Amino acid sequence: MRLLTIDSVNPAILKVQYAVRGELAIKAEEHRAKLTKDDHGLPFKRIINSNIGNPQQKGLDQPPITWTRQVCALMEWPALMDLAPQAFPKDVIARAKELQEDIGSIGAYSHSQGVPLIRKSVANFIEERDGYPSNPDHIFLTAGASTGVSLLISMLITPPKSGILIPIPQYPLYTATLAQHSGIAIPYHLDEASEWSTSLHEIEGALAKSYEDGIEPKALVIINPGNPTGALLDENTQEELVKLCEKHSLVLLADEVYQNNLHKPDSHPFTSFKKIVRRMNSPIPVFSFHSISKGVQGECGRRGGYFECTNIPDSILALIYKMASVGICPPLTGQIGVDCMVRPPKPGEESYPLWKKETDTIHETLALRTKIMAERLNKLPGVSCVPSPGALYLYPKLDLPESAIEAASKAGKSPDTFYALQLLDETGICVVPGEGFGKKDGHNYYRLTCLCPGVEEYVGALEQFHVNFMKKYGRV
Amino acid sequence: MRLLTIDSVNPAILKVQYAVRGELAIKAEEHRAKLTKDDHGLPFKRIINSNIGNPQQKGLDQPPITWTRQVCALMEWPALMDLAPQAFPKDVIARAKELQEDIGSIGAYSHSQGVPLIRKSVANFIEERDGYPSNPDHIFLTAGASTGVSLLISMLITPPKSGILIPIPQYPLYTATLAQHSGIAIPYHLDEASEWSTSLHEIEGALAKSYEDGIEPKALVIINPGNPTGALLDENTQEELVKLCEKHSLVLLADEVYQNNLHKPDSHPFTSFKKIVRRMNSPIPVFSFHSISKGVQGECGRRGGYFECTNIPDSILALIYKMASVGICPPLTGQIGVDCMVRPPKPGEESYPLWKKETDTIHETLALRTKIMAERLNKLPGVSCVPSPGALYLYPKLDLPESAIEAASKAGKSPDTFYALQLLDETGICVVPGEGFGKKDGHNYYRLTCLCPGVEEYVGALEQFHVNFMKKYGRV
């Protein structure tokens, strides 16, 4: 018989690239396995997975929000309400009872679109945030934002000659999903010189090129706050982007999963695209994504999130429902996580003080770390770094010596991948090279998270590595 | 601007059909909403969702296995070990500690392939089941079996002229996923006359036709125990199927999610395809699926499962890993559910007696209900029903009066959909018409679950409806 080989499988799948868990992450896992042996011979004691925004991972150990975990524990085993009532605040018990009454067991499939009560909670949250109505029937709960993005991209793309506008640098989920569904990524560059802002001119240029190439643009992806850049859009730019979508009949995919990760909310606030579109009374179709994996919850492993549909006709909503139903339903504990995020304890309720303290601490720690890390990175020779006002990352630019670039070329690697591989081998710190996010030719970057265990250990190791690297390749 | 319409979206998505949550299920939801009002005017008090194997749904309320829920509650909020130690058996606490040590927080993303410790548990379970080695690196944990099926079909299909052999009747996930990825379903019919057995002759015929049509067959789907039929394959047939895969270079997709739902294990035992393939020393590539949604756990809402890869080359394993990593990781509570399923309490451990009692009760109840329901359905005029030896369903055949078939045709419905819609409107019982599973022309069926709340209320209503329907359309 003929064996199964990569030559015989779907070529679209071969084209998929996902660097966040790619070569570097796989090598990090190999090092981690080695570290369990006494004679590992590695010059570090542990792996720091700075390649992925995963706040609760081992070694980082950002504590979960107690409120969320208490509600979830009662949903898992309701008998605890009677067996250990003293262990739970009253508002936790009340919330669990309310959810149980509506849901029944979390071991049952829910409505494919998500538990109706939780969709109502989400709609209320959006109404309070934006000051415009939100319809629970236009909300789809998902297993993290990724499944929603994947579902909608697979629906919007009409192969072989249609595409979606993607910011560069971008979160590689978008290009990976496009490749999987034989869609074309239409890249537009963000402007590093002005804090990674979004340029209408760049997008118009990308559109013109796509028309020239016979590619039909279907949608525009905006990540706000940005990933990997942390940039925040101002409302004026948002309005211009909405007009651009009107002009070119584009669907707007608004990735707003970092909306609660704001380090400088006074100078860099967040406004949702839903609000802008409603205020302008624009007819453009918008899908906006949110997630429990980021923000202060950081409940990545739970797999929860949602997307809201704005200006989407019923026929398309029915189609989305059908596709959601093939996956049957999002994980119930992820859905409970969404409820806990959008409907936290209120002042005066028993859980409020602890919830407030825990969430404040996470916000403050992240803002402080981001600031310190950006300052220290910017002091390094050949490194420049926009101090992110949002999200969980920094995206330093590397100006590398010619001899390093030549050595990378000989090794068959892009210079930033070459740099990141050595960083991993020498310090145990795993980052994602700029190559994974798309970038302009000849520029080099890497993305690292600001979820470090201790700034000194982490940034100290980065600094020492960088100085040695620059020396090794003949600069400094 | 041009609005978003169904004419502008991916035509592959428009072709997807998924009847389990289709027209009937949507109408059932509408009735359910009506029932909350006093003047609903419906001739029943509640909806019975017999369209989906969802044991813990409201109204059915199959209790969850306490063991699973206790472990999960401690994973959610580990502080309970100190706050309420008396509430938990010692072996539950030990298991939770072991898992926490390996995983850390369930709020963190895990390895994309699933927690290594849990993959080891799965490998041990498979080794004990089959008597052949299993490699944790060849196991992928998933969010229910569906995500694994979807991932692998998207990988195996090479559009536009390749297909996968699908049993008819089939679980519509397969055709839905094929449609989404522009693959072609190559149907082969199961033999109702011999307890829905799998006929090599039928498959050879389907293959011959696909070659004639220029369609390359890539894989063979076998659902064992069958869905919707409940049929179990004998080992002789399994060996013949493996030889057929060798002859035609087919990948075997073995959907074995009902392996623990056996109502007559002495006369109708389950043997995994992994065991058959290893015993024959066959080189055919096999992917075998399991799930926590069925069996005795019925933890559908948790979204957990796995697939094991047998005879799959490393290059393909790497490709699967890449695609799994785009989805980042399966839900952690689903993964914990898998661990609880494959590594239950052992005799002598504190949780064992309760676990044994709970699981025995579920097995016995399901076997008894299946038997009684099949007997009573078989007594109805125009109904014949193979008494399923496995899974959760019955699949009765309807011999309907000509006038009913004409009325259905006038209403633009298939006769079994016409029947099922009236059943829903008159009794509140939601089933899936045979149309949704594929069927031979001119034959009519429906699938219903044996997870009924009370046999008398449920089957009594079915019987009464059927007799009235037959009278209405001029027979009996």
Side-chain angles (χ1 to χ4, degrees):
Chain A
M1 67 174 292
R2 223 174 41 241
L3 293 172
L4 182 64
T5 64
I6 55 165
D7 302 327
S8 61
V9 303
N10 191 342
I13 299 295
L14 296 178
K15 281 183 204 145
V16 170
Q17 295 199 349
Y18 189 66
V20 175
R21 291 214 155 186
E23 179 183 8
L24 271 289
I26 290 169
K27 199 169 188 196
E29 284 303 316
E30 289 166 8
H31 283 338
R32 194 193 305 281
K34 267 191 206 158
L35 285 171
T36 59
K37 289 166 195 155
D38 288 337
D39 57 342
H40 58 70
L42 294 169
F44 48 85
K45 285 179 190 159
R46 59 168 171 169
I47 294 292
I48 297 177
N49 271 107
S50 194
N51 56 311
I52 188 158
N54 187 12
Q56 295 186 32
Q57 71 177 288
K58 267 183 148 182
L60 304 189
D61 300 316
Q62 175 180 304
I65 305 299
T66 304
W67 153 255
T68 304
R69 295 309 190 90
Q70 287 173 330
V71 171
C72 287
L74 288 181
M75 296 303 291
E76 283 288 359
W77 196 33
L80 281 170
M81 288 187 207
D82 300 319
L83 289 168
Q86 79 297 342
F88 296 91
K90 283 187 205 65
D91 51 350
V92 165
I93 293 178
R95 175 65 57 86
K97 280 190 176 161
E98 185 194 352
L99 289 167
Q100 275 158 27
E101 199 149 305
D102 197 72
I103 296 169
S105 167
I106 59 162
Y109 294 125
S110 72
H111 191 292
S112 293
Q113 203 167 339
V115 171
L117 175 71
I118 299 178
R119 283 188 280 128
K120 270 184 210 159
S121 302
V122 172
N124 290 340
F125 160 80
I126 294 170
E127 284 182 14
E128 280 178 34
R129 185 192 66 191
D130 295 341
Y132 291 93
S134 172
N135 183 343
D137 293 341
H138 298 171
I139 289 162
F140 288 77
L141 301 185
T142 53
S146 309
T147 46
V149 168
S150 177
L151 189 162
L152 294 171
I153 286 185
S154 76
M155 184 184 81
L156 292 171
I157 280 299
T158 54
K161 294 290 269 180
S162 73
I164 292 182
L165 287 147
I166 303 287
I168 298 296
Q170 55 118 13
Y171 178 51
L173 169 68
Y174 291 97
T175 39
T177 309
L178 278 166
Q180 187 182 359
H181 297 287
S182 302
I184 296 164
I186 308 170
Y188 67 91
H189 289 275
L190 303 175
D191 183 9
E192 187 176 12
S194 64
E195 288 194 344
W196 291 114
S197 67
T198 300
S199 147
L200 275 284
H201 179 73
E202 277 284 345
I203 299 178
E204 287 284 4
L207 280 165
K209 185 165 183 315
S210 80
Y211 294 133
E212 267 173 43
D213 296 345
I215 297 162
E216 186 192 0
K218 293 281 190 173
L220 169 66
V221 171
I222 300 280
I223 313 178
N224 182 42
N227 176 4
T229 66
L232 275 141
L233 293 175
D234 60 84
E235 295 193 7
N236 186 39
T237 305
Q238 289 181 283
E239 288 174 6
E240 294 299 320
L241 289 167
V242 169
K243 285 180 205 155
L244 180 139
C245 288
E246 287 180 7
K247 179 177 159 197
H248 294 279
S249 296
L250 295 173
V251 173
L252 180 60
L253 298 174
D255 179 339
E256 302 178 328
V257 302
Y258 296 99
Q259 62 187 267
N260 196 22
N261 293 114
L262 307 177
H263 314 321
K264 305 169 182 175
D266 295 331
S267 61
H268 294 77
F270 167 78
T271 307
S272 77
F273 267 106
K274 164 82 180 291
K275 182 175 178 178
I276 299 287
V277 163
R278 284 286 179 253
R279 193 166 70 196
M280 294 171 70
N281 206 10
S282 168
I284 69 160
V286 183
F287 296 101
S288 54
F289 303 92
H290 199 5
S291 166
I292 61 171
S293 300
K294 312 303 170 188
V296 287
Q297 291 219 118
E299 288 281 350
C300 305
R302 198 173 293 281
R303 312 310 293 118
Y306 72 80
F307 60 87
E308 186 192 23
C309 309
T310 301
N311 295 330
I312 306 300
D314 286 348
S315 57
I316 298 288
L317 291 172
L319 200 60
I320 298 170
Y321 172 80
K322 180 181 76 178
M323 294 313 293
S325 81
V326 177
I328 312 187
C329 74
L332 267 286
T333 57
Q335 297 189 49
I336 307 293
V338 171
D339 193 78
C340 291
M341 173 177 77
V342 297
R343 204 156 54 119
K346 292 193 185 93
E349 292 174 350
E350 191 177 342
S351 296
Y352 183 78
L354 181 61
W355 176 87
K356 183 81 171 76
K357 191 179 145 210
E358 289 175 343
T359 54
D360 282 352
T361 303
I362 293 171
H363 281 304
E364 286 158 17
T365 309
L366 191 61
L368 184 64
R369 276 181 188 161
T370 305
K371 183 170 171 285
I372 294 174
M373 286 171 65
E375 283 168 5
R376 288 178 62 165
L377 285 167
N378 270 320
K379 285 185 187 149
L380 290 171
V383 177
S384 62
C385 176
V386 173
S388 297
L392 306 176
Y393 315 100
L394 287 172
Y395 194 60
K397 184 175 180 178
L398 297 170
D399 177 17
L400 298 176
E402 269 312 311
S403 61
I405 291 167
E406 279 163 27
S409 171
K410 273 186 199 155
K413 305 281 177 195
S414 79
D416 45 21
T417 299
F418 183 74
Y419 180 94
L421 282 166
Q422 290 197 27
L423 176 66
L424 175 61
D425 288 343
E426 294 181 24
T427 65
I429 298 173
C430 182
V431 300
V432 186
E435 188 185 25
F437 301 98
K439 53 172 188 177
K440 286 190 180 165
D441 284 345
H443 289 214
N444 290 298
Y445 299 91
Y446 66 94
R447 186 188 81 167
L448 76 170
T449 72
C450 302
L451 302 160
C452 48
V455 170
E456 201 44 55
E457 175 194 349
Y458 184 47
V459 185
L462 277 174
E463 288 166 338
Q464 198 187 335
F465 165 79
H466 182 79
V467 171
N468 288 343
F469 183 94
M470 297 299 263
K471 272 190 197 151
K472 184 171 166 188
Y473 293 100
R475 208 183 303 170
V476 187
Chain B
M1 68 174 291
R2 224 172 41 241
L3 294 172
L4 182 64
T5 65
I6 55 166
D7 302 327
S8 61
V9 302
N10 190 342
I13 300 294
L14 296 177
K15 281 185 204 143
V16 170
Q17 294 199 346
Y18 189 66
V20 173
R21 292 216 154 184
E23 180 183 7
L24 272 287
I26 291 169
K27 199 169 187 195
E29 284 302 318
E30 289 166 8
H31 284 337
R32 194 193 304 281
K34 268 193 204 158
L35 284 171
T36 58
K37 289 165 195 156
D38 287 337
D39 58 341
H40 57 72
L42 293 169
F44 49 84
K45 286 178 191 160
R46 59 167 170 169
I47 295 291
I48 297 176
N49 270 106
S50 194
N51 57 312
I52 188 158
N54 188 12
Q56 295 186 31
Q57 71 177 287
K58 266 183 148 181
L60 304 188
D61 300 317
Q62 175 180 304
I65 305 299
T66 304
W67 154 256
T68 304
R69 295 308 191 90
Q70 288 174 330
V71 172
C72 287
L74 288 181
M75 296 304 291
E76 283 288 0
W77 196 34
L80 280 170
M81 287 186 206
D82 300 319
L83 289 168
Q86 79 296 343
F88 295 92
K90 283 185 206 67
D91 50 351
V92 165
I93 294 177
R95 175 64 57 86
K97 281 191 175 160
E98 184 192 354
L99 289 167
Q100 274 158 27
E101 197 148 308
D102 198 72
I103 297 169
S105 167
I106 59 164
Y109 293 126
S110 72
H111 191 292
S112 293
Q113 202 168 340
V115 171
L117 175 72
I118 299 178
R119 284 189 278 126
K120 270 184 210 157
S121 301
V122 172
N124 290 340
F125 161 79
I126 293 171
E127 284 183 13
E128 279 178 33
R129 184 191 66 190
D130 295 340
Y132 290 94
S134 172
N135 183 342
D137 292 341
H138 298 170
I139 289 162
F140 288 76
L141 300 185
T142 54
S146 309
T147 45
V149 168
S150 178
L151 189 162
L152 293 172
I153 285 184
S154 76
M155 183 185 81
L156 292 171
I157 281 298
T158 53
K161 296 291 270 181
S162 72
I164 292 182
L165 288 147
I166 303 288
I168 298 297
Q170 58 117 9
Y171 178 51
L173 168 68
Y174 291 97
T175 40
T177 309
L178 279 166
Q180 186 182 1
H181 297 287
S182 302
I184 296 164
I186 308 170
Y188 66 91
H189 289 275
L190 303 175
D191 184 9
E192 187 176 12
S194 63
E195 289 194 342
W196 292 113
S197 66
T198 299
S199 147
L200 275 285
H201 179 72
E202 276 285 345
I203 299 176
E204 287 283 6
L207 280 166
K209 185 164 181 318
S210 80
Y211 294 133
E212 268 174 42
D213 296 345
I215 297 162
E216 186 192 359
K218 291 280 192 174
L220 168 66
V221 171
I222 300 280
I223 313 178
N224 182 42
N227 177 4
T229 66
L232 276 142
L233 292 175
D234 59 85
E235 295 194 6
N236 185 38
T237 305
Q238 288 180 285
E239 288 175 5
E240 294 299 320
L241 289 166
V242 169
K243 285 180 204 155
L244 180 139
C245 288
E246 287 180 7
K247 180 177 157 195
H248 293 279
S249 296
L250 295 172
V251 173
L252 179 60
L253 298 173
D255 179 339
E256 301 178 330
V257 302
Y258 296 99
Q259 63 186 266
N260 195 23
N261 293 114
L262 306 177
H263 314 321
K264 304 169 183 175
D266 294 333
S267 61
H268 295 76
F270 167 78
T271 306
S272 78
F273 266 106
K274 163 83 181 290
K275 182 174 178 178
I276 300 287
V277 164
R278 283 286 179 255
R279 194 167 68 197
M280 293 170 72
N281 207 10
S282 167
I284 69 161
V286 183
F287 296 102
S288 54
F289 303 91
H290 199 5
S291 166
I292 61 171
S293 300
K294 313 303 170 189
V296 287
Q297 291 219 117
E299 289 281 350
C300 304
R302 197 172 293 282
R303 313 310 292 122
Y306 72 81
F307 61 87
E308 186 192 22
C309 309
T310 302
N311 295 330
I312 306 299
D314 286 349
S315 57
I316 297 288
L317 291 172
L319 200 60
I320 299 170
Y321 172 80
K322 179 182 76 178
M323 295 312 294
S325 81
V326 177
I328 311 186
C329 75
L332 267 287
T333 58
Q335 297 190 48
I336 306 293
V338 170
D339 193 77
C340 290
M341 174 177 76
V342 299
R343 204 157 54 119
K346 293 195 184 92
E349 291 174 351
E350 192 177 342
S351 295
Y352 183 77
L354 181 61
W355 176 86
K356 183 80 171 78
K357 190 179 145 210
E358 289 176 342
T359 54
D360 282 352
T361 302
I362 292 171
H363 280 304
E364 285 158 17
T365 308
L366 190 62
L368 184 64
R369 277 180 187 161
T370 305
K371 183 170 172 286
I372 294 173
M373 287 172 64
E375 283 168 3
R376 288 178 61 165
L377 286 167
N378 271 321
K379 285 186 188 149
L380 289 172
V383 177
S384 62
C385 176
V386 174
S388 296
L392 306 175
Y393 315 100
L394 287 171
Y395 194 59
K397 185 176 179 178
L398 296 171
D399 178 15
L400 297 176
E402 268 313 310
S403 61
I405 291 166
E406 279 163 26
S409 172
K410 273 186 199 156
K413 304 283 176 193
S414 80
D416 45 21
T417 299
F418 183 74
Y419 179 94
L421 282 165
Q422 291 199 27
L423 175 66
L424 174 61
D425 287 343
E426 294 182 22
T427 66
I429 298 173
C430 182
V431 300
V432 186
E435 190 183 23
F437 301 99
K439 53 174 186 177
K440 285 191 182 165
D441 282 346
H443 290 214
N444 290 298
Y445 299 90
Y446 66 94
R447 186 189 81 166
L448 76 171
T449 72
C450 303
L451 301 161
C452 48
V455 171
E456 201 43 54
E457 174 195 349
Y458 183 47
V459 185
L462 277 174
E463 288 167 337
Q464 199 188 333
F465 165 79
H466 183 78
V467 170
N468 289 343
F469 183 93
M470 296 300 262
K471 272 189 197 150
K472 183 171 166 189
Y473 293 99
R475 208 184 300 171
V476 186

